[in-house]
Amino acid sequence: MMTGFFTSDGEPALSVHVAGPAGNLDVDAVIDTGFNGELTLPHEQIDTLDLPEATITEVTLADGRVRDVPLYEAKALLSGVTREVFVAEAPTMPLIGTGLLRGFSLHIEFQAEGTIQVEPLNSSS
Amino acid sequence: MEPKSAFSTQRRQFPPKRFPRVFQEVDVPLKMARRPPVRLGHRSDRFASANPMWKETRPPAYEESEAPIPQPPKIMSEDPSELAERGNEIFERVVRPEVDAESDAQKFVVIDVETEDYEIDANARAAFDRLVERRPDARGRTWLRRVGSRHAYHFGGRLREPSTE
C-alpha cells in the first residue's frame, strides 16, 4: 500500500517511480481519471531519463481536438508493482491515467487532510 | 526553362552571318564542339566564378554532383500524419477483416506500416514489444490505435460522439 497527497490545487496525486535508460526519477503525478493512458511526462523529464521513442498514436483532447503524440518506453513503479508502460509526452504536470491504475484499488477522501491510498488488487489483470 | 549556364548567357549567333549558307546545314552539334569541358582549374571556370550571377547558376563540378547526399538517420523520420494515413489504411484493409470489432474494440493494434505486420493486445506495451521482438527494424515506423477507434487515448474524457472512421 502507498499513500498519495493533494496538490495545492486540490487534485489527488501520487508519487511514481519512473525508470529509463539514463536513470530514474520520482515523479509527482496527478491522478487523472479522464485520461485512459498510463502516464504522461513533460518533454524535459523524458529527456532526462532518455526514454526511447516507441511509436506514435492519435489522442483526443478535452475540446475534441486530435493530436499525434509520440509514446516512449519506460518502467513505472507504483505501490510496489513495476510495469512496462508507454509514457505520452504532454506539457502539463505529470498525469497518471486509468491505464496505470488498472489492477489497483484507489481510495480518496476528498476533504481537508484527507488520505489517498493505493494498493494492488489480489487478482490483478 | 533551361537553367542558365556560363555559356548560354553568352549565346551568339552561330555560325556568323558572313559564313556561307552551307555551314548551317551541317548536322553536327557545333555548339557542343565549341564548348570547352567545365572542369575545376580551367580558365573558363575562373572566368565564370568571377561573375557572381554565373557562379550561382552554373551546374556543379562533376566531383560535387556525384557525391552522395547525406541522409538524416531514419529513426522516427516518418511524418506523423503520413504514418497515421498508412497505418489506418492498413488497419482497414488487413487487420479489420481478422478481428471482431465488437468484442475487441478496446484492444490495441500496433502496425508496422512498412511490412503491414501487426500485433493486437489489450495491453499496448505488450503488443508493441511482441511486434518489435519479431521485427526489430519496425521501430520508428509503427502506428498505434485501438480496434474500435483510431485514437488510442483520450485526455479529459471520451468524446460523446465517437469520431467517424
Side-chain angles (χ1 to χ4, degrees):
Chain A
M1 171 156 47
M2 73 180 285
T3 56
F5 60 96
F6 282 96
T7 66
S8 53
D9 281 355
E11 303 150 317
L14 298 170
S15 182
V16 191
H17 192 75
V18 186
N24 45 66
L25 280 178
D26 282 315
V27 177
D28 290 343
V30 168
I31 300 168
D32 182 354
T33 54
F35 168 48
N36 66 341
E38 290 161 331
L39 187 66
T40 78
L41 289 179
H43 186 70
E44 306 82 65
Q45 290 179 333
I46 289 172
D47 258 11
T48 304
L49 296 170
D50 197 20
L51 301 182
E53 189 169 340
T55 185
I56 298 184
T57 189
E58 275 176 351
V59 301
T60 58
L61 308 184
D63 61 2
R65 279 180 298 171
V66 175
R67 286 285 169 88
D68 290 328
V69 172
L71 299 175
Y72 299 83
E73 292 170 61
K75 281 183 185 174
L77 171 65
L78 182 70
S79 191
V81 179
T82 303
R83 280 193 192 155
E84 305 270 351
V85 297
F86 275 144
V87 172
E89 187 182 324
T92 58
M93 187 182 177
L95 299 175
I96 292 176
T98 55
L100 191 62
L101 292 171
R102 193 171 179 80
F104 291 91
S105 85
L106 171 64
H107 179 85
I108 303 175
E109 292 174 0
F110 279 98
Q111 62 176 359
E113 318 274 313
T115 60
I116 298 170
Q117 292 179 339
V118 181
E119 60 184 326
L121 293 166
N122 288 331
S123 57
S124 67
S125 56
Chain B
M1 196 178 134
E2 202 182 6
K4 285 179 185 174
S5 76
F7 303 97
S8 63
T9 51
Q10 253 206 340
R11 180 164 298 157
R12 296 185 197 133
Q13 188 183 2
F14 186 84
K17 277 180 183 161
R18 65 172 186 277
F19 279 26
R21 175 91 185 147
V22 66
F23 273 73
Q24 276 181 327
E25 289 164 7
V26 175
D27 191 17
V28 165
L30 286 171
K31 200 173 69 176
M32 297 304 294
R34 280 172 56 82
R35 178 184 294 186
V38 177
R39 55 175 188 263
L40 294 171
H42 190 269
R43 61 188 158 82
S44 67
D45 183 67
R46 285 198 294 277
F47 177 53
S49 44
N51 184 323
M53 187 189 79
W54 290 357
K55 198 175 184 178
E56 245 177 73
T57 56
R58 220 163 48 86
Y62 176 80
E63 292 85 351
E64 290 174 43
S65 63
E66 288 298 300
I69 300 158
Q71 298 291 328
K74 197 169 164 62
I75 295 169
M76 277 294 152
S77 59
E78 302 275 356
D79 178 23
S81 57
E82 194 194 327
L83 259 180
E85 199 178 307
R86 287 164 68 187
N88 288 322
E89 187 274 322
I90 293 166
F91 176 81
E92 297 299 335
R93 182 166 46 81
V94 180
V95 187
R96 192 183 282 285
E98 302 292 322
V99 294
D100 183 347
E102 291 282 314
S103 62
D104 292 343
Q106 291 306 309
K107 287 190 178 171
F108 293 93
V109 188
V110 184
I111 299 168
D112 174 2
V113 299
E114 203 69 35
T115 64
E116 305 192 350
D117 199 359
Y118 65 92
E119 279 289 341
I120 300 181
D121 201 296
N123 182 324
R125 214 19 231 280
F128 176 79
D129 290 350
R130 279 209 305 275
L131 184 65
V132 169
E133 192 180 349
R134 190 164 69 244
R135 295 190 180 276
D137 52 342
R139 183 179 279 274
R141 57 177 201 219
T142 60
W143 178 251
L144 175 71
R145 59 166 287 159
R146 293 200 195 225
V147 170
S149 166
R150 56 183 285 161
H151 318 300
Y153 303 114
H154 56 74
F155 287 88
R158 185 158 53 92
L159 298 182
R160 254 189 323 156
E161 284 183 324
S163 65
T164 49
E165 289 291 312

